[in-house]
Amino acid sequence: MNAERLEFIRRLPKAELHLHIEGTLEPELIFRLAQRNGVILPYPSIQALRDAYEFTDLQSFLDLYYAGAAVLMTEADFYDMTMAYLARIAQDGVVHTEIMFDPQTHTERGVPIATVFAGIARALREGYDTWGITSCLIMSFLRHLSEEAAFETLEQALPLREQYADLWLGIGLDSGEQGNPPEKFERVYARCRELGFYLVAHAGEEGPAAYVSSALNRLNVIRIDHGVRSEEDPELLKTLAARKIPLTVCPLSNLKLKVVNNMREHNLKRLLDQGLCVTINSDDPAYFGGYLLDNYIAVADAFALSDEDLITLATNSMQSRFPVFLDRRS
Ligand code: HPA
Ligand code: ZN
């Protein structure tokens, strides 16, 4: 790609809507935090850890992702991780980011949920002051755990809601999809809806199109994370297009986790051409080989996208932000 085109994409105002903050932990930072906290890593070097990032499917990635997140112990760790991500995306023309985090990954290890919120939030507020990047938080439940565990996490987090009212706006659902359908979380999502959170869920990454329908109809989500397997159900595609439900597609993630074998085989251009609200996102950039701009470049190259297509993708992302987020300037 020539420098002029790269600069065109970089300068497009872009929103990132599908990003797991624990997935931004670069091997260098994992090693630094492990040393700071006296955590022993099962890898002799940074390079050995990076070399282990060869995945066969979602679960093979999740095993490393949860192991990497185990170095996060203190407020400063969550702050450092989030600041490193913001500093990185500030160079990429990202103006807004909606960040998922998995409290259960940390509370299970004895880290208080207040520590998780405090470190991430301090960085997001500072990131706004430093780079003008607006942001919000999507607290996500781990779907391989029970709905009861999700309710417990919600109860632990709710006392913090007022303190983070400027940031904590959303609820998400992530981790191993197969065998953990959205409807497993129907009651806790109904509660979160009553509480006024915006709802999203991963569906149709490895799981079938039926999971996308279930996320829409039983969880009442306003966006679908991934959703690429929706294409298997033409009626569902019509509904997604008619209701303008955004899909937060993550091209490099799909390639690394072998949802597709080759970027040219990805269906995002077909979905776009069928009128779906496709957005481009990075998912877990430290593990999948690229941040948001790298994902745009990868699809622009693979599909020889026109400037118009790229503008559509970036505009979709800006229009698919949560409809109201409290502006810290006011
Ligand atoms: N899918 C499901 N769960 C996740 C992912 C993902 O891509 N990344 C982090 N948790
Ligand atoms: Zn994801």
Side-chain angles (χ1 to χ4, degrees):
M1 174 171 298
N2 68 41
E4 194 186 332
R5 188 155 166 83
L6 181 64
E7 191 56 14
F8 168 74
I9 303 175
R10 200 185 66 76
R11 291 172 70 109
L12 284 174
K14 297 173 287 296
E16 169 126 271
L17 306 177
H18 182 160
L19 180 281
H20 303 266
I21 196 67
E22 295 91 345
T24 68
L25 266 181
E26 293 285 349
E28 288 77 5
L29 189 53
I30 291 179
F31 267 73
R32 186 151 68 79
L33 297 184
Q35 200 168 30
R36 186 153 97 184
N37 294 325
V39 175
I40 310 285
L41 294 169
Y43 296 92
S45 67
I46 292 170
Q47 192 55 44
L49 176 56
R50 203 177 281 285
D51 289 346
Y53 293 178
E54 285 299 330
F55 310 117
T56 49
D57 57 9
L58 175 58
Q59 192 57 50
S60 66
F61 152 71
L62 289 171
D63 293 343
L64 258 87
Y65 164 85
Y66 294 127
V71 300
L72 296 161
M73 312 283 281
T74 66
E75 190 265 4
D77 300 339
F78 288 92
Y79 169 84
D80 287 348
M81 168 177 67
T82 308
M83 272 317 249
Y85 162 68
L86 293 172
R88 180 67 186 71
I89 63 165
Q91 303 164 18
D92 283 3
V94 181
V95 300
H96 177 80
T97 180
E98 305 197 344
I99 292 180
M100 280 180 264
F101 68 113
D102 296 334
Q104 288 158 302
T105 302
H106 314 299
T107 53
E108 275 194 333
R109 298 180 292 110
V111 177
I113 197 164
T115 301
V116 181
F117 268 91
I120 299 173
R122 182 158 66 94
L124 294 182
R125 289 169 179 157
E126 207 175 302
Y128 175 69
D129 293 338
T130 307
W131 296 288
I133 298 172
T134 54
S135 56
C136 63
L137 286 172
I138 304 171
M139 186 178 87
S140 301
F141 300 126
L142 297 179
R143 70 200 304 158
H144 67 272
L145 301 178
S146 66
E147 185 179 48
E148 194 187 350
F151 266 116
E152 276 168 28
T153 301
L154 181 63
E155 288 311 316
Q156 287 169 18
L158 280 177
L160 303 170
R161 191 176 186 191
E162 207 176 302
Q163 198 178 342
Y164 300 107
D166 55 330
L167 292 169
W168 180 22
L169 303 184
I171 292 291
L173 184 64
D174 57 14
S175 188
E177 191 179 0
Q178 307 262 28
N180 296 301
E183 61 269 23
K184 179 176 163 186
F185 296 89
E186 192 165 359
R187 289 174 311 151
V188 74
Y189 263 67
R191 177 77 186 117
C192 292
R193 193 173 182 218
E194 277 171 11
L195 289 164
F197 289 105
Y198 297 123
L199 308 178
V200 300
H202 283 53
E205 177 186 18
E206 280 192 348
Y211 283 19
V212 178
S213 300
S214 170
L216 277 181
N217 300 328
R218 297 182 61 175
L219 302 187
N220 289 295
V221 299
I222 60 168
R223 293 196 301 244
I224 297 285
D225 291 319
H226 293 294
V228 290
R229 286 193 60 191
S230 304
E231 203 176 29
E232 292 163 20
D233 180 348
E235 281 306 310
L236 171 62
L237 278 192
K238 280 187 210 157
T239 303
L240 291 168
R243 289 180 52 191
K244 298 188 169 46
I245 302 286
L247 303 184
T248 63
V249 174
C250 306
L252 289 173
S253 165
N254 293 155
L255 190 62
K256 267 295 219 186
L257 300 188
K258 307 216 167 6
V259 171
V260 292
N261 296 317
N262 182 305
M263 194 59 89
R264 293 212 179 96
E265 284 171 27
H266 201 291
N267 61 6
L268 77 98
K269 175 76 168 111
R270 278 202 305 277
L271 294 170
L272 199 60
D273 291 343
Q274 289 176 81
L276 271 86
C277 182
V278 173
T279 67
I280 301 293
N281 305 274
S282 72
D283 209 2
D284 300 282
Y287 291 89
F288 299 149
Y291 285 77
L292 189 62
L293 183 57
D294 305 302
N295 275 272
Y296 272 81
I297 293 168
V299 300
D301 281 344
F303 298 104
L305 293 183
S306 64
D307 288 358
E308 204 181 358
D309 289 330
L310 290 162
I311 291 168
T312 300
L313 289 167
T315 305
N316 284 350
S317 77
M318 295 295 279
Q319 292 179 343
S320 302
R321 292 173 294 178
F322 289 149
V324 172
F325 69 95
L326 302 175
D327 192 329
R328 285 184 291 279
R329 281 166 296 188
S330 55

